[in-house]
Amino acid sequence: MLLSWLTRQLAAYLSKEVSHNSIRTSTWDALVTTIQPGDVLLVEGTTRISVAIKYLTQSTWSHAALYLGTDAGLGTSAEGETHALIEADLEQGIRPLPLSHYRHAHTRICRPVGLSDHDVGTLTNYARSRIGHQYDMRNVFDLARYLLPTPPVPARHRHKLLAFGSGDPTRAICSTFIAEAFQRLRYPILPVVELLPADDPDCHDCIRELYRVKHHSLFTPRDFDASPYFRIVKPTIETNFDYRALNWGDDDSGLELP
């Protein structure tokens, strides 16, 4: 009962926003126009748990959501907006939400290449089947240790708290759910590549690559950014960007402009 209470309190604590430094890098219209079903939307979060994830992964990105589109049958928000994203939230578990939830956030689109409509349907069906599933909260304690060197619990209970968890803080990160969805398609993110002899009698030095699936719990948001199999899409330059049309203020840098 003590651990259950601590878990709820810890989830609420880690979900609190602690900064407002995230700066969006595209307009809302550009984001809406550019994003496609199957895209992974990376987010620079501003909560306490985001701080821990960014520190652990040495990355700008602390959160990932899967975009399935407004026709995915994910329902609507209390305000009447159509849900288009699915994400794993620390307090609410796996949930749908509208794209506008991140309209003011610093985001990046990571796009898988070559997905068919059937593939997107497979992602959608899997994601919908997971709605309501909760984080394995044992692993959240591992993340919290990076923020709470001295847990705010009585000393006699601290050994129980420190023994709780998987020992691997990355296993609490939201991208686990998305990685598992893509593994249903056997779509690579950052697979383990094993180099083996090619068994070619005419080429003794030739090698062949054998791909092995890395467990979905080992993926972090930055892996979608680093993956050679996801295209980085920047909405600002996907919508007829013309640098000449930018409205610059007075230039006091000393440069002479033509």
Side-chain angles (χ1 to χ4, degrees), residues 238-253:
E238 295 290 326
T239 53
N240 300 318
F241 173 70
D242 181 2
Y243 76 91
R244 300 173 187 85
L246 295 179
N247 185 23
W248 293 97
D250 292 338
D251 183 25
D252 58 359
S253 64

Side-chain angles (χ1 to χ4, degrees), residues 94-107:
I94 297 176
R95 63 174 183 175
L97 71 167
L99 180 61
S100 62
H101 185 80
Y102 292 116
R103 71 180 299 161
H104 299 299
H106 180 199
T107 59

Side-chain angles (χ1 to χ4, degrees), residues 86-99:
I86 286 189
E87 67 173 13
D89 178 74
L90 182 60
E91 291 189 280
Q92 300 182 37
I94 297 176
R95 63 174 183 175
L97 71 167
L99 180 61

Side-chain angles (χ1 to χ4, degrees), residues 16-22 44-48 50-51 54:
K16 295 296 183 183
E17 191 169 275
V18 292
S19 70
H20 302 278
N21 296 327
S22 181
E44 181 186 8
T46 56
T47 62
R48 288 189 176 102
S50 299
V51 173
K54 286 188 283 188

Side-chain angles (χ1 to χ4, degrees), residues 43-220:
V43 181
E44 181 186 8
T46 56
T47 62
R48 288 189 176 102
I49 195 172
S50 299
V51 173
I53 292 171
K54 286 188 283 188
Y55 172 77
L56 284 169
T57 63
Q58 294 296 288
S59 171
T60 299
W61 313 111
S62 64
H63 189 65
L66 180 62
Y67 182 80
L68 297 173
T70 55
D71 297 326
L74 302 176
T76 58
S77 68
E79 293 76 24
E81 293 184 271
T82 302
H83 291 315
L85 293 169
I86 286 189
E87 67 173 13
D89 178 74
L90 182 60
E91 291 189 280
Q92 300 182 37
I94 297 176
R95 63 174 183 175
L97 71 167
L99 180 61
S100 62
H101 185 80
Y102 292 116
R103 71 180 299 161
H104 299 299
H106 180 199
T107 59
R108 171 166 291 174
I109 296 173
C110 298
R111 177 166 296 162
V113 177
L115 294 191
S116 66
D117 290 342
H118 181 267
D119 292 334
V120 174
T122 299
L123 289 176
T124 300
N125 291 335
Y126 173 74
R128 289 176 60 182
S129 72
R130 300 286 292 175
I131 291 175
H133 286 229
Q134 299 296 313
Y135 261 91
D136 183 351
M137 295 299 292
R138 292 176 302 175
N139 302 313
V140 176
F141 281 85
D142 297 308
L143 278 171
R145 289 171 194 159
Y146 286 82
L147 299 175
L148 299 172
T150 304
V153 297
R156 65 181 182 279
H157 292 304
R158 285 179 188 166
H159 71 284
K160 297 178 182 179
L161 177 61
L162 294 175
F164 198 62
S166 66
D168 184 353
T170 62
R171 290 179 182 268
I173 295 175
C174 55
S175 48
T176 289
F177 151 69
I178 299 175
E180 192 170 14
F182 278 101
Q183 287 183 352
R184 292 295 179 100
L185 302 178
R186 296 192 71 80
Y187 191 93
I189 304 171
L190 286 176
V192 178
V193 181
E194 186 177 355
L195 301 180
L196 300 172
D199 295 329
D200 184 346
D202 297 323
C203 183
H204 295 290
D205 296 327
C206 291
I207 59 174
R208 60 188 174 93
E209 295 181 342
L210 181 66
Y211 287 74
R212 299 190 184 278
V213 175
K214 186 165 67 172
H215 195 271
H216 58 265
S217 67
L218 300 177
F219 287 98
T220 67

